[in-house]
Coordinates of all heavy atoms in Angstrom, one line a residue:
L636 N 217.9 286.8 50.9 CA 218.9 287.1 49.8 C 218.5 288.3 49.0 O 219.3 288.7 48.1 CB 219.0 285.8 48.9 CG 219.5 284.5 49.6 CD1 219.4 283.4 48.6 CD2 221.0 284.7 50.0
G637 N 217.4 288.9 49.3 CA 217.0 290.0 48.5 C 216.1 289.7 47.3 O 215.8 290.6 46.5
Y638 N 215.7 288.4 47.2 CA 214.8 288.0 46.1 C 213.6 287.2 46.7 O 213.5 286.0 46.6 CB 215.5 287.1 45.1 CG 216.6 287.8 44.4 CD1 218.0 287.7 44.8 CD2 216.3 288.5 43.2 CE1 219.0 288.3 44.1 CE2 217.4 289.2 42.5 CZ 218.7 289.1 43.0 OH 219.7 289.7 42.2
P639 N 212.7 288.0 47.4 CA 211.6 287.3 48.0 C 210.7 286.6 47.0 O 210.3 287.1 46.0 CB 210.8 288.4 48.7 CG 211.2 289.6 48.0 CD 212.6 289.4 47.5
T640 N 210.4 285.3 47.2 CA 209.7 284.5 46.3 C 208.3 284.1 46.9 O 208.2 283.9 48.1 CB 210.4 283.2 45.8 OG1 210.7 282.4 47.0 CG2 211.7 283.6 45.1
A641 N 207.4 283.9 46.0 CA 206.1 283.2 46.3 C 206.3 281.7 46.2 O 206.5 281.2 45.1 CB 205.0 283.8 45.4
N642 N 206.2 281.0 47.3 CA 206.3 279.6 47.3 C 204.9 279.0 47.0 O 204.0 279.1 47.9 CB 206.8 279.1 48.7 CG 207.2 277.6 48.7 OD1 206.8 276.9 47.8 ND2 208.0 277.2 49.7
V643 N 204.7 278.4 45.8 CA 203.4 278.0 45.4 C 203.1 276.5 45.7 O 203.8 275.7 45.2 CB 203.2 278.3 43.9 CG1 201.8 277.9 43.5 CG2 203.5 279.7 43.6
E644 N 202.2 276.3 46.6 CA 201.7 274.9 46.8 C 200.8 274.5 45.7 O 199.6 274.9 45.7 CB 201.1 274.8 48.2 CG 200.7 273.4 48.6 CD 200.1 273.4 50.0 OE1 199.0 273.9 50.2 OE2 200.8 272.8 50.9
T645 N 201.2 273.7 44.8 CA 200.5 273.5 43.6 C 199.3 272.5 43.8 O 199.3 271.8 44.8 CB 201.4 272.9 42.5 OG1 202.0 271.7 43.0 CG2 202.5 273.9 42.1
L646 N 198.4 272.5 42.9 CA 197.2 271.6 43.0 C 197.6 270.2 42.7 O 198.6 269.9 42.1 CB 196.2 272.1 41.9 CG 195.6 273.5 42.1 CD1 194.7 273.8 40.9 CD2 194.9 273.7 43.4
P647 N 196.9 269.2 43.2 CA 197.2 267.8 43.0 C 197.3 267.5 41.6 O 196.6 267.9 40.7 CB 196.1 267.1 43.7 CG 195.5 268.0 44.7 CD 195.7 269.4 44.1
H648 N 198.3 266.6 41.2 CA 198.5 266.1 39.9 C 199.0 267.2 38.9 O 198.9 266.9 37.7 CB 197.3 265.4 39.4 CG 196.8 264.3 40.3 ND1 197.5 263.2 40.6 CD2 195.6 264.2 41.0 CE1 196.8 262.4 41.4 NE2 195.7 263.0 41.6
T649 N 199.4 268.3 39.3 CA 199.8 269.4 38.4 C 201.0 268.9 37.6 O 202.0 268.4 38.1 CB 200.2 270.6 39.2 OG1 199.0 271.1 39.8 CG2 200.7 271.7 38.3
A650 N 201.0 269.3 36.3 CA 202.2 269.1 35.4 C 203.2 270.2 35.7 O 202.9 271.3 35.3 CB 201.7 269.1 33.9
I651 N 204.2 269.9 36.4 CA 205.3 270.9 36.7 C 206.5 270.7 35.8 O 206.9 269.6 35.6 CB 205.7 270.7 38.2 CG1 204.4 270.9 39.1 CG2 206.8 271.6 38.6 CD1 204.7 270.6 40.6
P652 N 207.0 271.8 35.3 CA 208.1 271.7 34.4 C 209.4 271.1 35.1 O 209.4 271.1 36.3 CB 208.4 273.2 34.0 CG 207.1 273.9 34.2 CD 206.4 273.2 35.4
A653 N 210.3 270.7 34.3 CA 211.6 270.1 34.8 C 212.3 271.1 35.7 O 212.1 272.3 35.6 CB 212.5 269.7 33.6
D654 N 213.1 270.6 36.6 CA 213.8 271.4 37.5 C 214.7 272.4 36.7 O 215.3 272.1 35.7 CB 214.8 270.6 38.3 CG 214.0 269.8 39.4 OD1 212.8 269.9 39.4 OD2 214.7 269.1 40.2
G655 N 214.7 273.7 37.1 CA 215.4 274.7 36.4 C 214.9 276.1 36.8 O 214.0 276.3 37.7
V656 N 215.4 277.1 36.1 CA 215.0 278.5 36.2 C 214.4 278.9 35.0 O 214.9 278.7 33.9 CB 216.2 279.4 36.6 CG1 215.8 280.8 36.7 CG2 216.9 278.9 37.9
Y657 N 213.3 279.7 35.1 CA 212.4 280.1 34.0 C 212.1 281.6 34.1 O 212.1 282.1 35.1 CB 211.1 279.3 33.9 CG 211.3 277.8 33.8 CD1 211.6 277.0 34.9 CD2 211.2 277.2 32.5 CE1 211.7 275.6 34.8 CE2 211.3 275.8 32.4 CZ 211.6 275.0 33.5 OH 211.7 273.7 33.4
A658 N 211.8 282.1 32.9 CA 211.2 283.5 32.8 C 209.7 283.3 32.6 O 209.2 282.3 32.0 CB 211.8 284.3 31.7
G659 N 208.9 284.1 33.2 CA 207.4 284.0 33.0 C 206.7 285.1 33.8 O 207.2 286.2 34.0
W660 N 205.5 284.8 34.3 CA 204.7 285.8 34.9 C 204.0 285.1 36.2 O 203.7 284.0 36.2 CB 203.6 286.3 34.0 CG 204.1 287.1 32.9 CD1 204.4 288.4 32.9 CD2 204.4 286.6 31.6 NE1 204.8 288.8 31.6 CE2 204.8 287.7 30.8 CE3 204.3 285.4 31.0 CZ2 205.2 287.6 29.5 CZ3 204.6 285.2 29.6 CH2 205.1 286.3 28.9
L661 N 203.9 286.0 37.2 CA 203.1 285.6 38.4 C 201.9 286.5 38.4 O 202.0 287.7 38.3 CB 204.0 285.9 39.6 CG 203.3 285.8 41.0 CD1 202.9 284.3 41.3 CD2 204.2 286.3 42.1
T662 N 200.7 285.8 38.5 CA 199.4 286.6 38.6 C 198.8 286.4 40.0 O 198.6 285.2 40.4 CB 198.5 286.1 37.5 OG1 199.0 286.3 36.2 CG2 197.2 286.9 37.6
A663 N 198.5 287.5 40.7 CA 197.9 287.5 42.0 C 196.9 288.6 42.0 O 197.2 289.7 41.6 CB 198.9 287.6 43.1
D664 N 195.7 288.3 42.5 CA 194.6 289.3 42.6 C 194.4 290.0 41.3 O 194.2 291.2 41.2 CB 195.0 290.3 43.7 CG 194.5 289.9 45.1 OD1 193.7 288.9 45.1 OD2 194.9 290.5 46.1
G665 N 194.5 289.2 40.2 CA 194.3 289.8 38.9 C 195.4 290.6 38.3 O 195.3 291.1 37.1
E666 N 196.5 290.7 39.0 CA 197.7 291.5 38.5 C 198.7 290.6 37.9 O 199.2 289.7 38.6 CB 198.3 292.4 39.7 CG 199.4 293.3 39.2 CD 200.0 294.1 40.3 OE1 199.5 294.0 41.4 OE2 200.9 294.9 40.0
L667 N 199.1 290.9 36.7 CA 200.1 290.1 36.0 C 201.5 290.8 36.2 O 201.7 291.9 35.9 CB 199.8 290.1 34.5 CG 200.7 289.2 33.6 CD1 200.5 287.7 33.9 CD2 200.4 289.5 32.1
M668 N 202.5 290.0 36.8 CA 203.8 290.6 37.1 C 204.9 289.7 36.5 O 204.9 288.5 36.7 CB 203.9 290.6 38.7 CG 202.9 291.4 39.4 SD 203.0 291.2 41.2 CE 202.0 289.7 41.4
P669 N 205.8 290.4 35.8 CA 207.0 289.6 35.3 C 207.7 288.9 36.4 O 207.8 289.4 37.5 CB 207.9 290.7 34.7 CG 206.9 291.8 34.3 CD 205.9 291.8 35.4
A670 N 208.2 287.7 36.1 CA 208.8 286.9 37.2 C 209.9 286.0 36.8 O 210.0 285.6 35.6 CB 207.7 286.0 37.8
A671 N 210.8 285.8 37.7 CA 211.9 284.7 37.5 C 211.4 283.6 38.4 O 211.0 283.8 39.6 CB 213.2 285.2 38.0
I672 N 211.4 282.4 37.8 CA 210.7 281.2 38.5 C 211.7 280.1 38.7 O 212.5 279.8 37.8 CB 209.6 280.7 37.6 CG1 208.6 281.8 37.3 CG2 208.8 279.6 38.3 CD1 207.8 281.6 36.0
S673 N 211.7 279.6 39.9 CA 212.6 278.4 40.2 C 211.8 277.2 40.5 O 210.8 277.2 41.2 CB 213.5 278.8 41.4 OG 214.2 277.6 41.9
V674 N 212.2 276.1 39.8 CA 211.5 274.8 40.1 C 212.6 273.8 40.5 O 213.6 273.7 39.8 CB 210.8 274.3 38.8 CG1 210.2 272.9 39.1 CG2 209.8 275.2 38.3
G675 N 212.5 273.2 41.7 CA 213.5 272.2 42.1 C 213.6 272.2 43.6 O 212.7 272.6 44.3
T676 N 214.7 271.6 44.1 CA 214.9 271.3 45.5 C 215.9 272.2 46.2 O 216.2 272.0 47.4 CB 215.4 269.9 45.7 OG1 216.7 269.7 45.0 CG2 214.4 268.9 45.1
N677 N 216.3 273.3 45.6 CA 217.3 274.3 46.2 C 218.5 273.5 46.6 O 218.9 273.5 47.8 CB 216.7 275.0 47.4 CG 215.6 276.0 46.9 OD1 215.7 276.8 46.0 ND2 214.4 275.9 47.6
P678 N 219.3 272.9 45.6 CA 220.4 272.1 46.0 C 221.5 272.8 46.7 O 222.3 272.2 47.5 CB 220.9 271.5 44.7 CG 220.4 272.5 43.6 CD 219.1 273.0 44.2
T679 N 221.7 274.1 46.5 CA 222.7 274.9 47.2 C 222.5 274.8 48.7 O 223.5 274.9 49.5 CB 222.7 276.4 46.7 OG1 222.9 276.4 45.3 CG2 223.8 277.2 47.5
F680 N 221.2 274.7 49.1 CA 220.9 274.6 50.6 C 220.6 273.2 51.0 O 219.9 273.0 52.0 CB 219.8 275.6 50.9 CG 220.1 277.0 50.6 CD1 219.7 277.6 49.4 CD2 220.8 277.7 51.5 CE1 220.0 278.9 49.2 CE2 221.1 279.1 51.3 CZ 220.7 279.7 50.1
D681 N 220.9 272.2 50.1 CA 220.7 270.8 50.4 C 219.2 270.5 50.6 O 218.8 269.7 51.5 CB 221.5 270.3 51.6 CG 223.0 270.4 51.4 OD1 223.4 270.1 50.2 OD2 223.7 270.8 52.3
G682 N 218.3 271.2 49.9 CA 216.9 270.9 50.0 C 216.5 269.6 49.5 O 217.2 269.0 48.7
T683 N 215.4 269.1 49.9 CA 214.9 267.8 49.5 C 213.5 267.9 48.8 O 213.1 267.1 48.0 CB 214.8 266.8 50.6 OG1 214.0 267.3 51.7 CG2 216.2 266.5 51.1
A684 N 212.7 268.9 49.3 CA 211.3 269.1 48.8 C 211.4 269.8 47.5 O 212.0 270.9 47.3 CB 210.5 269.8 49.8
R685 N 210.6 269.4 46.5 CA 210.6 270.0 45.2 C 209.5 271.1 45.3 O 208.4 270.9 45.6 CB 210.2 269.0 44.1 CG 210.4 269.5 42.7 CD 210.4 268.4 41.7 NE 210.7 268.8 40.3 CZ 209.8 268.9 39.4 NH1 208.5 268.6 39.6 NH2 210.2 269.4 38.2
T686 N 209.9 272.4 44.9 CA 209.0 273.5 45.0 C 209.0 274.3 43.7 O 209.9 274.2 42.9 CB 209.5 274.4 46.2 OG1 210.8 274.9 45.8 CG2 209.6 273.7 47.5
V687 N 207.9 275.1 43.6 CA 207.8 276.1 42.6 C 207.8 277.5 43.3 O 206.9 277.8 44.1 CB 206.5 275.9 41.8 CG1 206.3 277.0 40.7 CG2 206.5 274.6 41.1
E688 N 208.8 278.3 43.0 CA 208.9 279.6 43.6 C 209.0 280.7 42.5 O 209.8 280.5 41.6 CB 210.1 279.7 44.5 CG 210.1 278.6 45.7 CD 211.3 278.7 46.5 OE1 211.5 279.8 47.2 OE2 212.1 277.7 46.6
A689 N 208.3 281.8 42.7 CA 208.3 282.8 41.7 C 208.7 284.1 42.4 O 208.0 284.5 43.3 CB 206.9 283.0 41.0
Y690 N 209.7 284.8 41.8 CA 210.1 286.1 42.3 C 209.5 287.2 41.3 O 209.8 287.2 40.1 CB 211.6 286.3 42.3 CG 212.1 287.7 42.4 CD1 211.8 288.5 43.5 CD2 212.9 288.3 41.4 CE1 212.3 289.8 43.6 CE2 213.3 289.6 41.5 CZ 213.0 290.3 42.6 OH 213.5 291.6 42.7
A691 N 208.6 288.0 41.9 CA 208.0 289.1 41.1 C 209.0 290.2 40.9 O 209.4 290.9 41.9 CB 206.7 289.6 41.8
I692 N 209.5 290.3 39.7 CA 210.7 291.2 39.5 C 210.4 292.7 39.8 O 209.4 293.2 39.4 CB 211.1 291.1 38.0 CG1 211.5 289.6 37.7 CG2 212.2 292.0 37.6 CD1 211.8 289.4 36.2
D693 N 211.3 293.2 40.6 CA 211.3 294.6 41.0 C 210.1 295.0 41.9 O 209.8 296.2 42.0 CB 211.4 295.5 39.8 CG 212.6 295.3 39.0 OD1 213.7 295.0 39.6 OD2 212.6 295.5 37.7
R694 N 209.4 294.0 42.4 CA 208.3 294.4 43.3 C 208.7 294.3 44.7 O 209.4 293.3 45.1 CB 207.1 293.4 43.0 CG 206.5 293.6 41.6 CD 205.9 295.0 41.4 NE 204.9 295.3 42.3 CZ 203.6 295.1 42.1 NH1 203.2 294.6 40.9 NH2 202.7 295.4 43.0
V695 N 208.3 295.2 45.5 CA 208.7 295.3 46.9 C 207.5 295.3 47.8 O 206.5 295.9 47.5 CB 209.5 296.6 47.2 CG1 209.9 296.7 48.6 CG2 210.8 296.7 46.3
G696 N 207.6 294.6 48.9 CA 206.6 294.6 49.9 C 205.3 293.8 49.6 O 204.3 294.0 50.2
L697 N 205.4 292.9 48.7 CA 204.2 292.1 48.3 C 203.9 291.1 49.5 O 204.8 290.4 50.0 CB 204.5 291.3 47.0 CG 204.4 292.0 45.7 CD1 204.8 291.0 44.6 CD2 203.0 292.6 45.5
D698 N 202.7 291.0 49.8 CA 202.2 290.0 50.8 C 201.2 289.1 50.2 O 200.0 289.4 50.0 CB 201.6 290.7 52.0 CG 201.3 289.7 53.1 OD1 201.6 288.5 53.0 OD2 200.7 290.1 54.1
L699 N 201.7 287.9 49.7 CA 200.8 287.0 48.9 C 200.4 285.8 49.7 O 199.7 284.9 49.1 CB 201.5 286.6 47.6 CG 202.0 287.7 46.7 CD1 202.7 287.2 45.5 CD2 200.9 288.6 46.3
Y700 N 200.8 285.6 50.9 CA 200.5 284.4 51.7 C 199.0 284.2 51.7 O 198.2 285.0 52.0 CB 201.1 284.5 53.1 CG 202.6 284.6 53.2 CD1 203.3 285.6 53.8 CD2 203.3 283.5 52.7 CE1 204.7 285.6 53.8 CE2 204.7 283.5 52.7 CZ 205.4 284.6 53.3 OH 206.7 284.6 53.3
G701 N 198.7 282.9 51.4 CA 197.3 282.5 51.5 C 196.5 282.8 50.2 O 195.4 282.3 50.1
L702 N 197.1 283.5 49.3 CA 196.4 283.8 48.0 C 196.5 282.7 47.0 O 197.6 282.0 46.9 CB 196.9 285.1 47.4 CG 196.7 286.4 48.1 CD1 197.2 287.6 47.3 CD2 195.2 286.6 48.4
H703 N 195.5 282.5 46.2 CA 195.6 281.6 45.1 C 196.2 282.4 43.9 O 195.7 283.4 43.5 CB 194.2 281.1 44.7 CG 194.2 280.1 43.6 ND1 194.3 278.7 43.8 CD2 194.2 280.2 42.2 CE1 194.3 278.1 42.7 NE2 194.2 279.0 41.7
V704 N 197.3 281.9 43.4 CA 198.0 282.6 42.3 C 198.3 281.6 41.2 O 198.1 280.4 41.3 CB 199.4 283.1 42.9 CG1 199.2 284.0 44.0 CG2 200.3 281.9 43.2
S705 N 198.7 282.2 40.1 CA 199.1 281.4 38.9 C 200.4 281.8 38.4 O 200.8 283.0 38.6 CB 198.0 281.5 37.8 OG 198.0 282.8 37.3
V706 N 201.2 280.8 37.9 CA 202.5 281.1 37.4 C 202.6 280.6 35.9 O 202.3 279.4 35.7 CB 203.6 280.3 38.2 CG1 205.0 280.5 37.6 CG2 203.5 280.7 39.7
D707 N 202.8 281.5 35.0 CA 202.9 281.2 33.6 C 204.4 281.1 33.2 O 205.2 282.0 33.4 CB 202.2 282.2 32.7 CG 200.7 282.2 32.9 OD1 200.1 281.1 33.1 OD2 200.1 283.3 32.9
F708 N 204.7 280.0 32.5 CA 206.1 279.7 32.1 C 206.3 280.2 30.6 O 205.8 279.6 29.7 CB 206.5 278.3 32.3 CG 206.5 277.8 33.7 CD1 205.3 277.5 34.4 CD2 207.7 277.7 34.4 CE1 205.4 277.1 35.7 CE2 207.8 277.3 35.7 CZ 206.6 277.0 36.4
L709 N 207.2 281.2 30.5 CA 207.5 281.7 29.1 C 208.7 281.0 28.5 O 208.7 280.6 27.3 CB 207.7 283.2 29.2 CG 208.2 283.9 27.9 CD1 207.1 283.8 26.8 CD2 208.6 285.3 28.1
A710 N 209.8 280.9 29.2 CA 211.1 280.5 28.6 C 212.0 279.8 29.7 O 212.0 280.2 30.8 CB 211.8 281.6 28.0
Y711 N 212.7 278.7 29.2 CA 213.6 278.0 30.1 C 215.0 278.8 30.0 O 215.5 279.2 29.0 CB 213.9 276.6 29.5 CG 214.9 275.8 30.2 CD1 214.6 275.1 31.3 CD2 216.2 275.7 29.7 CE1 215.6 274.3 31.9 CE2 217.2 274.9 30.3 CZ 216.8 274.2 31.4 OH 217.8 273.4 32.0
L712 N 215.5 279.1 31.2 CA 216.8 279.9 31.3 C 218.0 279.0 31.5 O 219.0 279.2 30.9 CB 216.7 281.0 32.4 CG 215.6 282.0 32.2 CD1 215.6 283.0 33.4 CD2 215.7 282.7 30.9
R713 N 217.9 278.1 32.5 CA 219.0 277.2 32.8 C 218.5 276.1 33.7 O 217.4 276.1 34.2 CB 220.1 278.0 33.5 CG 219.7 278.5 34.9 CD 220.9 279.1 35.6 NE 220.6 279.8 36.8 CZ 220.4 279.2 38.0 NH1 220.6 277.8 38.1 NH2 220.1 279.8 39.1
G714 N 219.4 275.1 33.8 CA 219.1 274.0 34.7 C 219.3 274.3 36.2 O 220.0 275.4 36.5
M715 N 218.9 273.5 37.1 CA 219.1 273.7 38.5 C 220.5 273.4 38.8 O 221.0 272.3 38.4 CB 218.1 272.9 39.3 CG 218.2 273.1 40.8 SD 217.8 274.9 41.3 CE 216.1 275.1 40.6
E716 N 221.2 274.3 39.6 CA 222.6 274.1 39.9 C 222.8 274.2 41.4 O 222.1 274.9 42.1 CB 223.5 275.1 39.2 CG 223.4 275.2 37.7 CD 224.2 276.3 37.1 OE1 225.3 276.5 37.6 OE2 223.7 277.0 36.2
K717 N 223.9 273.5 41.9 CA 224.4 273.7 43.3 C 225.6 274.5 43.2 O 226.6 274.2 42.6 CB 224.7 272.3 43.9 CG 225.1 272.4 45.3 CD 225.2 271.1 46.0 CE 225.6 271.2 47.5 NZ 225.6 269.9 48.2
F718 N 225.5 275.7 43.9 CA 226.6 276.7 43.9 C 227.5 276.5 45.1 O 227.1 276.0 46.2 CB 226.1 278.1 43.8 CG 225.4 278.4 42.5 CD1 224.0 278.2 42.4 CD2 226.1 278.9 41.5 CE1 223.4 278.5 41.2 CE2 225.4 279.2 40.3 CZ 224.1 278.9 40.1
D719 N 228.8 276.8 44.9 CA 229.8 276.6 46.0 C 229.6 277.6 47.1 O 230.1 277.4 48.2 CB 231.2 276.7 45.4 CG 231.5 275.5 44.5 OD1 230.9 274.5 44.6 OD2 232.3 275.7 43.6

Side-chain angles (χ1 to χ4, degrees):
L636 297 173
Y638 295 97
T640 59
N642 188 343
V643 183
E644 186 176 64
T645 57
L646 300 176
H648 305 296
T649 294
I651 298 174
D654 288 3
V656 178
Y657 299 82
W660 293 275
L661 171 68
T662 301
D664 274 344
E666 183 179 3
L667 185 71
M668 297 171 279
I672 307 155
S673 171
V674 178
T676 59
N677 293 309
T679 300
F680 298 98
D681 297 321
T683 55
R685 193 164 185 253
T686 61
V687 176
E688 300 179 63
Y690 165 62
I692 297 173
D693 300 329
R694 295 299 301 267
V695 178
L697 285 176
D698 183 5
L699 304 179
Y700 292 121
L702 293 184
H703 184 91
V704 302
S705 62
V706 178
D707 292 325
F708 291 81
L709 172 66
Y711 176 86
L712 299 181
R713 63 173 175 86
M715 187 58 61
E716 301 176 42
K717 181 172 183 176
F718 293 90
D719 294 332

